[in-house]
Amino acid sequence: MIRPILHYGFHFIVPLCMALLFFPKQWKKVYLFFIAAMLIDLDHIFASPIFDPNRCSIGFHILHSYFAISIYSFMLFFTKTRIAGLALLWHIFTDLLDCWMM
């Protein structure tokens, strides 16, 4: 019961708090990036079954692969892609927490 609450809280509530705290002047834009980062979950449609609560996304889905994670990390080094990279890495971290709770 606690696992889905934590998972979705980390996807929706914590990014809102981070945006408000660290980017107060542009919090709406930053929060939108965090929400848009969930689009990487579209890679789940290529898996069978699409949703498996006992499957760790990290390393399994293409946009959750270690190669993709390295690209998201590389995005942190550039001003224009920093927030997007941060949002994508937060998504990965949230999914990793879910893996640890299995």
Side-chain angles (χ1 to χ4, degrees):
M1 179 66 179
I2 191 78
R3 188 172 152 203
I5 293 170
L6 281 174
H7 183 80
Y8 291 109
F10 270 65
H11 272 311
F12 291 100
I13 310 281
V14 174
L16 177 61
C17 294
M18 288 170 52
L20 289 167
L21 185 64
F22 297 115
F23 305 94
K25 292 182 180 174
Q26 55 182 0
W27 74 269
K28 291 177 187 175
K29 176 182 142 188
V30 171
Y31 186 60
L32 186 62
F33 270 96
F34 275 86
I35 298 303
M38 285 190 262
L39 288 172
I40 68 170
D41 279 340
L42 287 173
D43 62 1
H44 290 242
I45 64 174
F46 300 110
S48 180
I50 291 175
F51 175 73
D52 181 355
N54 296 315
R55 177 175 58 216
C56 182
S57 297
I58 310 301
F60 184 83
H61 301 292
I62 188 85
L63 296 176
H64 292 72
S65 67
Y66 296 108
F67 177 73
I69 293 168
S70 67
I71 292 171
Y72 307 152
S73 299
F74 188 68
M75 292 170 70
L76 297 175
F77 293 102
F78 303 98
T79 306
K80 292 188 182 238
T81 59
R82 186 169 294 141
I83 292 173
L86 180 64
L88 290 163
L89 287 172
W90 182 258
H91 180 97
I92 294 295
F93 175 73
T94 299
D95 286 357
L96 185 61
L97 285 177
D98 199 44
C99 294
W100 291 340
M101 289 189 286
M102 283 196 283

